[in-house]
Amino acid sequence: MKKILLAATAALALVPMSFGASASEKVEFPKEKWSFSGNFGKFDRMQLQRGLQVYKEVCASCHSLKYVAFRNLEALGYSEDQVKAFAAEYEFPTLDDEGSEIKRKGLPSDHFPSPYPNEKFARASNNGALPPDLSLMTKAREHGPDYVFHLLTGYDEPPQGMTVMDGMHYNKYFADGNFQIAMAKQINDDQVTYADGTKATADQISRDITAFLHWAAEPKLEVRNSTGLRVTIYMVIFTILAYFLKRRIWARLEK
Ligand code: HEC
């Protein structure tokens, strides 16, 4: 009976292993250090500003960022006027008094516009593949920001014997697509000239855009971290107080 139980336990322990071995788990994602990692993590405002520059200059021609409103950018350290000016660089369709379609300038309450009028157009422009919205990307993929960073820097020559399909690109971190992704390599050294003078290596650019996208996906991360810290301090003090109170109450009985 004992043996049967043991065997059953062993079998059960193996089940998650066989289920867990999906393609993406065969790829090793080296853990990156981010300013926002851990319980005390904070965003680096300058890095977020650089990331915004990368989004605007490199990614925005294909990827939307539909959950981010221009006014959210104040969290990156921009003033209200800077945000207003930034929004005004974009145009949005609207109707005039006669009902004809015209363009108006963007307002802080507008969201980043999609580069394409619709999905069909987006696919037609990208060899049939759809560039996904990037607003929640770092939360939507396993390994989060580490995944996005490694994907951006993971372009390489395909291993011997692999034929990369037409219009596809070998990327050693794109396991879900058998290492073939419809997005070409986007980031090279000096792809952007940073306004703050930071040296724009491909590695730096990829880190900056990833940090920016993580802010877009988790704008409240810092609030959550500091609330967590306050709750922890409160709990520690409360536990110490409770301990001394207990000693006092029980002191008479233990004599
Ligand atoms: C020329 C168009 C184009 C540009 C520019 C571009 N991408 Fe993409 N991207 C695509 C397409 C197309 C896909 C879909 C790929 C697929 O499913 O094979 C994609 C997919 C992605 C994905 C999702 C991968 C996944 O796991 O599904 C991420 C993340 C991404 N791009 C990030 C970026 C970032 C960050 C930039 C700017 C540095 C950028 N892209 C610039 C076209 C582009």
Side-chain angles (χ1 to χ4, degrees):
M1 184 63 193
K2 232 181 183 174
K3 268 192 193 149
I4 296 173
L5 265 178
L6 261 173
T9 320
L12 274 176
L14 286 174
V15 167
M17 277 171 140
S18 47
F19 275 121
S22 73
S24 65
E25 275 177 61
K26 284 189 208 128
V27 183
E28 281 246 1
F29 283 86
K31 261 198 136 358
E32 297 302 313
K33 236 186 119 31
W34 302 100
S35 74
F36 49 77
S37 311
N39 289 336
F40 304 111
K42 273 193 178 359
F43 288 116
D44 168 349
R45 295 292 181 285
M46 292 316 289
Q47 177 169 52
L48 298 185
Q49 293 195 5
R50 291 195 299 272
L52 168 65
Q53 188 184 342
V54 178
Y55 170 71
K56 218 177 128 187
E57 292 180 19
V58 187
C59 323
S61 54
C62 296
H63 290 278
S64 57
L65 194 62
K66 63 183 174 194
Y67 296 120
V68 181
F70 297 126
R71 65 172 165 220
N72 298 143
L73 297 175
E74 278 183 40
L76 272 53
Y78 295 111
S79 70
E80 228 180 293
D81 284 340
Q82 279 174 310
V83 167
K84 255 189 207 152
F86 187 88
E89 289 173 25
Y90 293 79
E91 283 192 324
F92 291 84
T94 184
L95 301 176
D96 66 9
D97 294 342
E98 272 84 53
S100 349
E101 218 174 75
I102 50 161
K103 299 267 188 197
R104 65 161 176 87
K105 280 196 168 145
L107 297 166
S109 54
D110 286 314
H111 288 219
F112 277 91
S114 166
Y116 306 110
N118 55 42
E119 183 179 330
K120 242 185 166 165
F121 199 98
R123 283 188 190 277
S125 318
N126 288 282
N127 232 333
L130 181 70
D133 184 79
L134 293 182
S135 315
L136 300 172
M137 187 49 77
T138 66
K139 305 275 285 178
R141 295 286 183 274
E142 207 184 331
H143 305 289
D146 290 346
Y147 170 73
V148 174
F149 171 75
H150 288 297
L151 180 79
L152 293 173
T153 50
Y155 290 85
D156 214 337
E157 289 299 318
Q160 280 234 318
M162 179 191 273
T163 9
V164 177
M165 285 186 294
D166 242 11
M168 300 299 269
H169 310 270
Y170 175 72
N171 186 308
K172 53 181 184 270
Y173 293 105
F174 195 58
D176 289 349
N178 286 320
F179 309 102
Q180 303 194 21
I181 183 165
M183 173 170 75
K185 184 179 181 192
Q186 294 299 324
I187 296 178
N188 297 295
D189 287 339
D190 298 314
Q191 179 107 16
V192 296
T193 307
Y194 278 132
D196 70 0
T198 300
K199 195 165 161 33
T201 59
D203 183 274
Q204 182 72 47
I205 299 172
S206 307
R207 272 173 214 282
D208 293 346
I209 178 66
T210 303
F212 171 71
L213 292 179
H214 197 53
W215 166 78
E218 268 223 79
K220 297 277 182 278
L221 173 140
E222 291 173 353
V223 179
R224 224 187 37 211
N225 281 354
S226 73
T227 310
L229 178 65
R230 264 175 287 161
V231 169
T232 309
I233 292 173
Y234 174 83
M235 292 301 279
V236 168
I237 293 174
F238 183 79
T239 308
I240 294 170
L241 281 177
Y243 171 74
F244 283 112
L245 193 64
K246 178 244 161 212
R247 294 233 325 188
R248 229 181 124 162
I249 291 171
W250 288 85
R252 278 171 290 155
L253 290 176
E254 279 167 5
K255 258 184 212 159

